[in-house]
Amino acid sequence: MSKKLLLKDAHVEGIRYFETYRKQGGYGAAEKALKMTAEEILEEVKASGLRGRGGAGFPTGMKWSFLAKPEGVPRHLVVNADESEPGTFKDRYLMEFLPHLLIEGMLISSFVLGSNVSYIYIRGEYSWIPDILEEAIEEAKAAGFLGKNILGTGFDCEIYVQRGGGAYICGEETALLESLEGKRGNPRLKPPFPAVKGLWERPTVVNNVESIAAIVPIIDITGAEYAKIGVGRSTGTKLISACGNINKPGVYEIDMTITVEEFIYSDEYCGGIPNGKKLKACIPGGSSVPIVPANLLLKTVNGEPRYMNYESLADGGFATGTMMGSGGFIVLDEDQCIVEHTMTLARFYNHESCGQCTPCREGTGWMYKILKKIEKGEGKMEDIDLLWDIQRKIEGNTICPLGDAAAWPVAAAIRHFRDEFEWHIKNPELSQTQNYGLANY
Ligand code: L3W
Ligand code: SF4
């Protein structure tokens, strides 16, 4: 049984409301933290080993310690709730069912960072969530956990919720800041990082919803105890949103010591694959991370079991490994067509490219066109090499990670499933009426 820190009270009726949350011990961590100094809390977060839960896995304590503190300039905490990565829906779950966990985490984090005005930037498609968050903010304020002179400490903090307009790119932290400032969400060049020049050029920390919620159990149990959960540099617990060909799609909290096999087949988690179908591949960290075929998913290159953690999933680098990413775990069974799947993703990235960099703007369009051609059975063998060449020219040559995110799925699909691309080209009639999976398994 995996240890629950974030979702331990998710089943409690009424936990969305302040009264119930408080009865379950909610805001106890905030009371404890506000008696500590900002430096002491920062040390706890560093000791916890918490890594950013939005995709990059950057150490949270280190990010906080980068925050510039020029005299007289306000600082801000911005929570990235623009959860738009295909396959990822764990932040939605947290905000919908445990809004006070996020608010409490934001209060503690704002106190450490010296942010008197903090923001939650939420994707527009989560249209019903802002009302839940705003109600929780009002409740917390009425109880003295937000507003002026919180718990008599002299610390003031307001939280505002800002709705996005539905662009995936606004989940990239600098595009998010542009959008929050009321501009078009175009990513900025980094450096300077937001920690130095962020919202309105003020020092800003941008953290994912789950990262900020995790501050609450870290203060509750201490950073050292949090670091004992998990393994190596994958400390604490991680939320995984599981979807695709599994019996039990949903949001699961894991402690990063379980194997991928256990996660897919055990009844505690995904409950196996429907209709006794075989596992073909998986994308374990949201659509941006490389797809991995079943043989490499269940074992690492060294023949060790593959574990659901940052290091094990990445074992073998991009040649054979993948990434933990945002924890959007997408399972594909034997009937699925990898070419069709890759084409769908390419269409998505092409549609969501902001258009600032030529390799991303043009390259994503070309990848989509070529994949569509191959999928329809109208491709040529040299198209596979062309596709490979285009993705290589995008990776590492763009302002923001959307370029890499568009290139990696294509590279991994060709690397591991070249035979499927060839099948479409060699079987033009079949590929118009069948998909590779159904025709070949
Ligand atoms: C100050 C330095 N700050 C790094 C900060 C930086 C950022 C964080 C990580 O992309 C990934 C992407 C997607 N001084 C710093 C510094 N920082 N050096 O650390 O930065 P970075 O550049 O490694 O990543 P990123 O730009 O935040 C995020 C991947 O996540 N992804 C996408 C997920 C989508 C969602 C969602 O829908 N919720 O999260 C999935 O894997 O491809 O690689 O804060 O400022 N010297
Ligand atoms: Fe825009 Fe793509 Fe460049 Fe990112 S990589 S800034 S999305 S064009």
Side-chain angles (χ1 to χ4, degrees):
M1 192 78 166
S2 198
K3 192 162 178 66
K4 301 252 181 303
L5 296 178
L6 297 173
L7 303 185
K8 70 178 169 50
D9 293 328
H11 62 284
V12 176
E13 203 183 329
I15 194 71
R16 178 189 288 183
Y17 302 104
F18 179 84
E19 205 184 325
T20 313
Y21 182 75
R22 186 78 174 131
K23 267 193 202 136
Q24 293 298 119
Y27 289 97
E31 287 172 317
K32 183 176 170 185
L34 267 58
K35 288 187 191 126
M36 297 161 71
T37 64
E39 291 69 30
E40 284 168 344
I41 303 172
L42 178 59
E43 285 313 311
E44 290 299 323
V45 176
K46 282 187 183 165
S48 74
L50 176 69
R51 293 168 68 177
R53 302 304 198 214
F58 194 83
T60 306
M62 192 189 290
K63 189 191 275 195
W64 288 9
S65 62
F66 286 155
L67 188 70
K69 294 183 177 151
E71 196 64 36
V73 181
R75 305 187 283 273
H76 297 288
L77 167 69
V78 176
V79 168
N80 186 346
D82 192 69
E83 185 178 48
S84 313
E85 178 82 355
T88 311
F89 46 91
K90 43 108 190 164
D91 295 335
R92 181 186 78 197
Y93 188 91
L94 270 181
M95 292 185 286
E96 185 166 1
F97 297 105
L98 295 155
H100 281 287
L101 188 66
L102 175 61
I103 305 302
E104 186 178 3
M106 284 185 74
L107 166 59
I108 301 169
S109 310
S110 301
F111 178 69
V112 178
L113 302 168
S115 167
N116 301 116
V117 182
S118 299
Y119 297 89
I120 302 171
Y121 183 97
I122 184 163
R123 71 180 292 203
E125 291 90 337
Y126 286 175
S127 56
W128 68 103
I129 309 272
D131 289 346
I132 295 172
L133 292 170
E134 275 163 358
E135 189 179 354
I137 290 167
E138 284 313 312
E139 284 185 318
K141 211 165 167 177
F145 287 101
L146 284 178
K148 297 250 173 260
N149 190 22
I150 299 165
L151 303 180
T153 56
F155 176 64
D156 304 337
C157 185
E158 297 289 345
I159 296 178
Y160 297 102
V161 182
Q162 176 64 44
R163 293 164 168 84
Y168 172 70
I169 195 57
C170 289
E172 194 284 328
E173 59 178 2
T174 60
L176 185 157
L177 296 175
E178 288 283 300
S179 174
L180 197 49
E181 290 179 8
K183 295 182 260 174
R184 184 190 158 105
N186 280 353
R188 301 172 183 167
L189 278 169
K190 292 194 277 189
F193 289 95
V196 176
K197 262 190 185 188
L199 191 61
W200 298 298
E201 303 209 341
R202 298 167 178 174
T204 304
V205 162
V206 184
N207 273 141
N208 173 260
V209 170
E210 186 189 345
S211 313
I212 293 298
I215 300 302
V216 175
I218 288 171
I219 295 302
D220 263 335
I221 66 172
T222 76
E225 285 303 309
Y226 186 89
K228 285 184 193 161
I229 303 164
V231 58
R233 290 183 60 233
S234 298
T235 62
T237 62
K238 173 84 190 85
L239 295 185
I240 305 288
S241 54
C243 62
N245 302 121
I246 48 174
N247 282 316
K248 290 169 58 194
V251 176
Y252 297 100
E253 185 168 13
I254 61 159
D255 70 8
M256 296 194 267
T257 60
I258 62 167
T259 64
V260 172
E261 190 165 7
E262 215 181 322
F263 185 69
I264 295 175
Y265 290 102
S266 119
D267 277 341
E268 194 184 338
Y269 304 107
C270 303
I273 297 174
N275 307 317
K277 295 277 177 188
K278 279 190 286 192
L279 174 69
K280 181 174 193 174
C282 176
I283 305 164
S287 65
S288 303
V289 311
I291 188 168
V292 200
N295 61 330
L296 285 168
L297 190 65
L298 304 179
K299 290 204 183 324
T300 66
V301 269
N302 300 316
E304 298 281 316
R306 214 178 268 277
Y307 290 93
M308 297 280 291
N309 64 47
Y310 292 94
E311 287 74 28
S312 185
L313 285 171
D315 186 89
F318 285 122
T320 50
T322 180
M323 285 164 77
M324 185 79 165
S326 56
F329 196 89
I330 309 168
V331 177
L332 282 78
D333 74 13
E334 57 189 284
D335 289 349
Q336 306 309 317
C337 173
I338 300 294
V339 177
E340 187 184 356
H341 168 84
T342 312
M343 179 194 74
T344 309
L345 291 185
R347 182 173 55 207
F348 172 78
Y349 289 111
N350 178 227
H351 183 256
E352 298 297 339
S353 167
C354 83
Q356 282 191 106
C357 331
T358 310
C360 172
R361 183 187 63 240
E362 302 299 326
T364 54
W366 277 107
M367 290 197 301
Y368 171 48
K369 274 183 211 152
I370 296 167
L371 281 159
K372 195 158 76 166
K373 212 168 93 176
I374 297 176
E375 203 274 330
K376 279 167 73 183
E378 295 167 2
K380 300 190 195 88
M381 278 301 170
E382 45 284 23
D383 285 336
I384 305 176
D385 294 330
L386 180 60
L387 206 49
W388 181 264
D389 192 45
I390 296 171
Q391 67 77 23
R392 279 198 59 192
K393 289 193 168 112
I394 299 174
E395 191 198 359
N397 293 319
T398 57
I399 293 174
C400 90
L402 188 141
D404 296 342
W408 292 339
V410 173
I414 298 176
R415 182 179 292 124
H416 300 303
F417 297 98
R418 197 178 177 105
D419 55 335
E420 294 206 18
F421 288 81
E422 291 177 357
W423 179 87
H424 277 272
I425 294 162
K426 286 181 198 156
N427 298 282
E429 292 88 29
L430 274 181
S431 90
Q432 284 180 22
T433 53
Q434 286 252 24
N435 89 28
Y436 176 90
L438 289 170
N440 286 275
Y441 285 87

XYZ file of all heavy atoms in Angstrom, residues 253-318:
498
model
N -1.738 8.317 -5.983
C -0.559 8.840 -5.290
C 0.391 7.670 -5.047
O 0.016 6.690 -4.410
C -0.963 9.484 -3.958
C 0.213 10.148 -3.254
C -0.220 11.035 -2.092
O -1.398 10.974 -1.659
O 0.651 11.795 -1.602
N 1.599 7.785 -5.573
C 2.562 6.686 -5.422
C 3.787 7.187 -4.651
O 4.036 8.393 -4.599
C 3.014 6.120 -6.789
C 3.720 7.205 -7.614
C 1.847 5.532 -7.558
C 4.602 6.647 -8.695
N 4.537 6.249 -4.087
C 5.726 6.700 -3.344
C 7.035 6.480 -4.119
O 8.115 6.551 -3.560
C 5.775 6.082 -1.943
C 6.056 4.594 -1.983
O 6.355 4.056 -3.066
O 5.984 3.961 -0.919
N 6.918 6.252 -5.395
C 8.060 6.156 -6.323
C 9.010 4.987 -6.046
O 10.149 4.990 -6.488
C 8.814 7.478 -6.403
C 7.947 8.584 -6.999
S 8.825 10.063 -7.502
C 8.703 11.066 -6.066
N 8.523 3.981 -5.281
C 9.324 2.768 -5.125
C 8.670 1.598 -5.855
O 9.215 0.502 -5.882
C 9.473 2.360 -3.637
O 8.168 2.137 -3.116
C 10.176 3.432 -2.826
N 7.501 1.819 -6.434
C 6.822 0.701 -7.101
C 7.303 0.573 -8.548
O 7.769 1.540 -9.157
C 5.281 0.820 -7.068
C 4.813 2.081 -7.811
C 4.752 0.803 -5.664
C 3.324 2.072 -8.061
N 7.184 -0.626 -9.074
C 7.623 -0.842 -10.460
C 6.502 -0.412 -11.416
O 5.331 -0.352 -11.032
C 7.948 -2.326 -10.729
O 6.734 -3.075 -10.566
C 9.021 -2.854 -9.786
N 6.891 -0.176 -12.662
C 5.918 0.185 -13.687
C 4.916 -0.966 -13.854
O 3.707 -0.756 -13.980
C 6.639 0.484 -15.021
C 5.643 0.666 -16.154
C 7.530 1.713 -14.889
N 5.423 -2.184 -13.801
C 4.573 -3.365 -13.969
C 3.485 -3.412 -12.893
O 2.307 -3.626 -13.177
C 5.452 -4.616 -13.908
C 4.702 -5.865 -14.301
C 5.643 -7.024 -14.605
O 6.861 -6.905 -14.386
O 5.130 -8.065 -15.056
N 3.919 -3.181 -11.656
C 2.972 -3.158 -10.531
C 1.931 -2.068 -10.758
O 0.738 -2.264 -10.517
C 3.785 -2.825 -9.277
C 3.349 -3.470 -8.008
C 4.272 -3.005 -6.876
O 5.504 -2.839 -7.085
O 3.741 -2.785 -5.770
N 2.392 -0.906 -11.200
C 1.470 0.211 -11.383
C 0.415 -0.124 -12.439
O -0.760 0.164 -12.257
C 2.231 1.491 -11.765
C 1.332 2.691 -11.845
C 0.765 3.222 -10.683
C 1.010 3.271 -13.057
C -0.097 4.316 -10.739
C 0.148 4.351 -13.136
C -0.399 4.884 -11.971
N 0.831 -0.763 -13.509
C -0.132 -1.058 -14.584
C -1.071 -2.210 -14.193
O -2.277 -2.138 -14.421
C 0.605 -1.403 -15.907
C 1.384 -0.184 -16.401
C -0.389 -1.876 -16.980
C 2.235 -0.435 -17.633
N -0.497 -3.259 -13.580
C -1.292 -4.485 -13.403
C -1.950 -4.654 -12.035
O -2.882 -5.441 -11.900
C -0.436 -5.712 -13.742
C -0.143 -5.785 -15.224
C 1.090 -5.392 -15.733
C -1.134 -6.193 -16.117
C 1.345 -5.425 -17.102
C -0.886 -6.228 -17.486
C 0.349 -5.846 -17.974
O 0.584 -5.868 -19.322
N -1.454 -3.914 -11.012
C -2.046 -4.181 -9.690
C -3.424 -3.527 -9.564
O -3.686 -2.472 -10.147
C -1.089 -3.716 -8.595
O -1.691 -2.731 -7.815
N -4.302 -4.169 -8.781
C -5.658 -3.658 -8.596
C -5.680 -2.365 -7.805
O -6.641 -1.608 -7.857
C -6.521 -4.708 -7.879
C -7.043 -5.720 -8.877
O -7.044 -5.393 -10.084
O -7.394 -6.834 -8.456
N -4.597 -2.118 -7.072
C -4.543 -0.870 -6.298
C -4.415 0.347 -7.220
O -4.793 1.459 -6.863
C -3.334 -0.917 -5.343
C -3.376 0.141 -4.279
C -2.134 0.147 -3.401
O -1.431 -0.884 -3.323
O -1.862 1.191 -2.801
N -3.861 0.101 -8.417
C -3.648 1.214 -9.350
C -4.460 0.976 -10.637
O -5.675 0.963 -10.576
C -2.151 1.396 -9.631
C -1.362 1.605 -8.357
C -0.540 0.611 -7.837
C -1.483 2.804 -7.641
C 0.161 0.802 -6.660
C -0.785 3.005 -6.459
C 0.039 1.993 -5.977
O 0.714 2.183 -4.799
N -3.799 0.776 -11.758
C -4.519 0.749 -13.053
C -5.360 -0.509 -13.268
O -6.212 -0.533 -14.164
C -3.530 0.878 -14.201
S -2.524 2.362 -14.100
N -5.119 -1.575 -12.545
C -5.948 -2.775 -12.645
C -5.803 -3.545 -13.949
O -6.715 -4.270 -14.352
N -4.695 -3.393 -14.648
C -4.446 -4.165 -15.858
C -5.089 -3.571 -17.109
O -5.681 -2.489 -17.076
N -4.951 -4.314 -18.196
C -5.402 -3.837 -19.507
C -6.716 -4.536 -19.871
O -6.832 -5.753 -19.712
C -4.294 -4.109 -20.544
C -3.054 -3.296 -20.131
C -4.741 -3.767 -21.962
C -1.837 -3.534 -20.930
N -7.715 -3.793 -20.348
C -9.017 -4.402 -20.631
C -8.939 -5.535 -21.664
O -8.090 -5.517 -22.564
C -9.850 -3.236 -21.184
C -9.161 -2.014 -20.720
C -7.711 -2.351 -20.611
N -9.845 -6.479 -21.527
C -10.029 -7.603 -22.462
C -8.789 -8.465 -22.630
O -8.580 -9.066 -23.689
C -10.486 -7.087 -23.840
C -11.704 -6.199 -23.717
O -12.631 -6.520 -22.968
N -11.700 -5.071 -24.394
N -7.943 -8.508 -21.627
C -6.761 -9.364 -21.671
C -5.764 -8.995 -22.767
O -4.932 -9.813 -23.152
N -5.854 -7.776 -23.281
C -4.937 -7.351 -24.353
C -3.520 -7.200 -23.811
O -3.312 -7.007 -22.618
C -5.398 -6.009 -24.933
C -6.739 -6.071 -25.626
C -6.596 -6.565 -27.033
C -7.947 -6.689 -27.709
N -7.869 -7.333 -28.995
N -2.560 -7.248 -24.764
C -1.163 -7.111 -24.358
C -0.765 -5.638 -24.301
O -1.307 -4.809 -25.046
C -0.263 -7.831 -25.371
C -0.206 -9.340 -25.140
C 0.858 -9.985 -25.997
C 0.394 -10.051 -27.435
N 1.078 -10.806 -28.377
N 0.207 -5.354 -23.444
C 0.744 -3.995 -23.349
C 1.657 -3.762 -24.550
O 2.522 -4.582 -24.853
C 1.563 -3.875 -22.056
C 2.327 -2.573 -21.842
C 1.381 -1.410 -21.597
C 3.290 -2.718 -20.660
N 1.457 -2.639 -25.234
C 2.333 -2.343 -26.377
C 3.367 -1.273 -26.026
O 4.553 -1.413 -26.319
C 1.485 -1.855 -27.547
C 2.303 -1.542 -28.791
C 1.375 -1.212 -29.925
C 2.086 -1.199 -31.255
N 1.133 -1.009 -32.350
N 2.905 -0.197 -25.412
C 3.808 0.907 -25.114
C 3.167 1.810 -24.070
O 1.993 1.650 -23.742
C 4.073 1.706 -26.381
N 3.956 2.754 -23.612
C 3.434 3.677 -22.613
C 4.171 5.004 -22.718
O 5.347 5.062 -23.076
C 3.638 3.050 -21.240
S 3.148 4.109 -19.906
N 3.449 6.062 -22.423
C 4.064 7.390 -22.300
C 3.853 7.767 -20.837
O 2.738 8.090 -20.437
C 3.353 8.397 -23.218
C 3.362 7.866 -24.646
C 4.009 9.760 -23.142
C 2.387 8.570 -25.532
N 4.903 7.685 -20.022
C 4.656 7.800 -18.586
C 4.578 9.211 -18.031
O 4.178 9.387 -16.882
C 5.855 7.060 -17.974
C 6.914 7.114 -18.994
C 6.280 7.330 -20.335
N 4.941 10.236 -18.813
C 5.029 11.569 -18.196
C 4.284 12.662 -18.916
O 4.683 13.818 -18.871
N 3.193 12.345 -19.593
C 2.513 13.353 -20.399
C 3.027 13.273 -21.824
O 4.133 12.774 -22.068
N 2.244 13.780 -22.778
C 2.532 13.534 -24.201
C 3.913 14.001 -24.660
O 4.408 13.546 -25.686
C 1.477 14.226 -25.059
O 1.580 15.629 -24.889
N 4.556 14.906 -23.901
C 5.847 15.462 -24.350
C 7.029 14.529 -24.157
O 8.104 14.786 -24.688
C 6.147 16.753 -23.590
O 5.117 17.668 -23.764
N 6.867 13.482 -23.365
C 8.032 12.641 -23.076
C 8.066 11.459 -24.041
O 7.040 11.067 -24.592
C 8.069 12.176 -21.587
C 7.849 13.331 -20.639
C 7.083 11.062 -21.324
N 9.256 10.881 -24.271
C 9.356 9.794 -25.252
C 8.484 8.584 -24.913
O 8.403 8.174 -23.749
C 10.845 9.414 -25.199
C 11.534 10.633 -24.678
C 10.574 11.270 -23.725
N 7.873 8.024 -25.955
C 7.096 6.793 -25.816
C 8.088 5.632 -25.632
O 9.178 5.643 -26.208
C 6.199 6.582 -27.060
C 5.225 5.424 -26.859
C 7.011 6.392 -28.338
C 4.131 5.363 -27.932
N 7.708 4.646 -24.810
C 8.608 3.506 -24.582
C 7.858 2.210 -24.877
O 6.728 2.031 -24.419
C 9.055 3.419 -23.102
C 10.317 2.600 -22.978
C 9.246 4.766 -22.508
N 8.462 1.296 -25.640
C 7.800 0.017 -25.903
C 7.781 -0.863 -24.656
O 8.605 -0.680 -23.756
C 8.658 -0.613 -27.001
C 9.977 0.057 -26.913
C 9.773 1.394 -26.290
N 6.845 -1.825 -24.642
C 6.618 -2.635 -23.439
C 7.896 -3.269 -22.887
O 8.124 -3.238 -21.673
C 5.587 -3.711 -23.740
N 8.750 -3.822 -23.766
C 9.931 -4.527 -23.237
C 10.838 -3.592 -22.432
O 11.384 -3.969 -21.403
C 10.707 -5.221 -24.373
C 11.221 -4.254 -25.414
O 10.612 -3.215 -25.652
N 12.326 -4.575 -26.035
N 10.970 -2.326 -22.891
C 11.827 -1.381 -22.175
C 11.101 -0.687 -21.037
O 11.703 0.001 -20.212
C 12.357 -0.325 -23.144
C 13.459 -0.802 -24.082
C 13.693 0.215 -25.174
C 14.742 -1.052 -23.293
N 9.806 -0.856 -21.031
C 9.000 -0.213 -19.996
C 9.018 -1.055 -18.720
O 9.001 -0.550 -17.610
C 7.570 -0.106 -20.503
C 6.628 0.734 -19.703
C 7.093 2.168 -19.750
C 5.243 0.638 -20.299
N 9.037 -2.350 -18.920
C 9.002 -3.230 -17.760
C 10.411 -3.495 -17.235
O 10.602 -3.838 -16.079
C 8.277 -4.525 -18.118
C 6.845 -4.293 -18.658
C 6.187 -5.604 -19.013
C 5.982 -3.528 -17.665
N 11.428 -3.326 -18.102
C 12.825 -3.524 -17.667
C 13.677 -2.367 -18.160
O 13.428 -1.826 -19.233
C 13.372 -4.823 -18.258
C 12.752 -6.059 -17.645
C 13.689 -7.255 -17.790
C 13.097 -8.536 -17.269
N 12.269 -8.463 -16.103
N 14.715 -2.035 -17.397
C 15.645 -1.005 -17.863
C 16.631 -1.643 -18.834
O 16.613 -2.868 -19.033
C 16.455 -0.406 -16.694
O 17.294 -1.433 -16.177
C 15.574 0.131 -15.594
N 17.546 -0.823 -19.382
C 18.554 -1.387 -20.288
C 19.451 -2.404 -19.578
O 19.985 -3.313 -20.184
C 19.462 -0.288 -20.915
C 18.890 0.202 -22.201
C 19.734 0.843 -19.957
N 19.583 -2.239 -18.268
C 20.425 -3.173 -17.513
C 19.676 -4.421 -17.064
O 20.211 -5.228 -16.311
C 20.987 -2.470 -16.272
C 21.812 -1.275 -16.672
O 22.597 -1.364 -17.609
N 21.603 -0.163 -15.995
N 18.418 -4.534 -17.491
C 17.636 -5.714 -17.123
C 16.992 -5.620 -15.751
O 16.354 -6.553 -15.282
N 17.170 -4.476 -15.085
C 16.532 -4.250 -13.776
C 15.060 -3.909 -14.009
O 14.721 -3.392 -15.079
C 17.161 -3.017 -13.109
C 18.631 -3.138 -12.806
C 18.859 -3.961 -11.560
O 18.134 -3.733 -10.590
O 19.718 -4.853 -11.591
N 14.207 -4.135 -13.014
C 12.823 -3.675 -13.195
C 12.818 -2.147 -13.331
O 13.660 -1.471 -12.745
C 12.127 -4.072 -11.885
C 13.050 -4.963 -11.175
C 14.426 -4.755 -11.715
N 11.883 -1.632 -14.115
C 11.788 -0.175 -14.218
C 10.824 0.318 -13.145
O 9.742 -0.227 -12.974
C 11.329 0.250 -15.611
C 11.968 1.574 -16.037
C 11.578 2.005 -17.403
N 12.438 1.588 -18.483
C 13.559 2.206 -18.859
N 14.005 3.246 -18.216
N 14.239 1.768 -19.902
N 11.277 1.325 -12.417
C 10.474 1.859 -11.317
C 9.818 3.174 -11.729
O 10.313 3.874 -12.611
C 11.352 2.092 -10.077
C 11.821 0.801 -9.441
C 13.045 0.240 -9.797
C 11.027 0.138 -8.520
C 13.468 -0.958 -9.238
C 11.445 -1.060 -7.951
C 12.654 -1.601 -8.316
O 13.061 -2.787 -7.774
N 8.736 3.490 -11.031
C 8.019 4.737 -11.301
C 8.724 5.883 -10.575
O 8.215 6.428 -9.599
C 6.577 4.618 -10.773
C 5.746 3.548 -11.433
S 5.088 4.056 -13.023
C 3.914 5.294 -12.569
N 9.936 6.218 -11.009
C 10.601 7.388 -10.421
C 11.469 8.084 -11.467
O 11.652 7.575 -12.571
C 11.384 7.012 -9.159
C 12.529 6.059 -9.435
O 13.309 6.262 -10.357
N 12.621 5.005 -8.626
N 11.956 9.265 -11.110
C 12.669 10.120 -12.073
C 13.852 9.397 -12.712
O 14.042 9.439 -13.923
C 13.181 11.401 -11.378
C 12.080 12.339 -10.948
C 11.552 12.302 -9.660
C 11.561 13.283 -11.830
C 10.536 13.166 -9.258
C 10.539 14.159 -11.435
C 10.039 14.091 -10.148
O 9.029 14.939 -9.770
N 14.673 8.722 -11.885
C 15.911 8.125 -12.397
C 15.644 6.867 -13.222
O 16.186 6.700 -14.308
C 16.866 7.786 -11.239
C 17.519 8.999 -10.594
C 16.569 9.796 -9.717
O 15.608 9.206 -9.171
O 16.758 11.019 -9.581
N 14.821 5.969 -12.689
C 14.609 4.694 -13.362
C 13.915 4.887 -14.716
O 14.278 4.250 -15.706
C 13.796 3.764 -12.463
O 13.670 2.506 -13.045
N 12.931 5.770 -14.769
C 12.231 5.985 -16.047
C 13.180 6.567 -17.091
O 13.048 6.319 -18.284
C 11.023 6.914 -15.853
C 9.814 6.271 -15.180
C 8.750 7.309 -14.840
C 9.195 5.179 -16.053
N 14.176 7.326 -16.625
C 15.109 7.967 -17.569
C 16.293 7.062 -17.909
O 17.119 7.430 -18.743
C 15.608 9.280 -16.968
N 16.378 5.896 -17.298
C 17.534 5.017 -17.494
C 17.759 4.711 -18.985
O 16.849 4.285 -19.687
C 17.315 3.696 -16.728
C 18.539 2.813 -16.785
O 19.389 2.951 -15.902
O 18.639 2.003 -17.728
N 18.981 4.949 -19.418
C 19.288 4.711 -20.830
C 19.208 5.980 -21.663
O 19.437 5.954 -22.871
N 18.875 7.108 -20.995
C 18.782 8.376 -21.734
C 17.671 8.322 -22.776
O 16.780 7.481 -22.705
N 17.760 9.203 -23.766
C 16.681 9.262 -24.738
C 16.663 8.067 -25.698
O 15.698 7.844 -26.411
C 16.719 10.573 -25.517
C 16.232 11.718 -24.695
C 17.030 12.814 -24.461
C 14.982 11.675 -24.117
C 16.582 13.857 -23.673
C 14.519 12.698 -23.321
C 15.322 13.804 -23.098
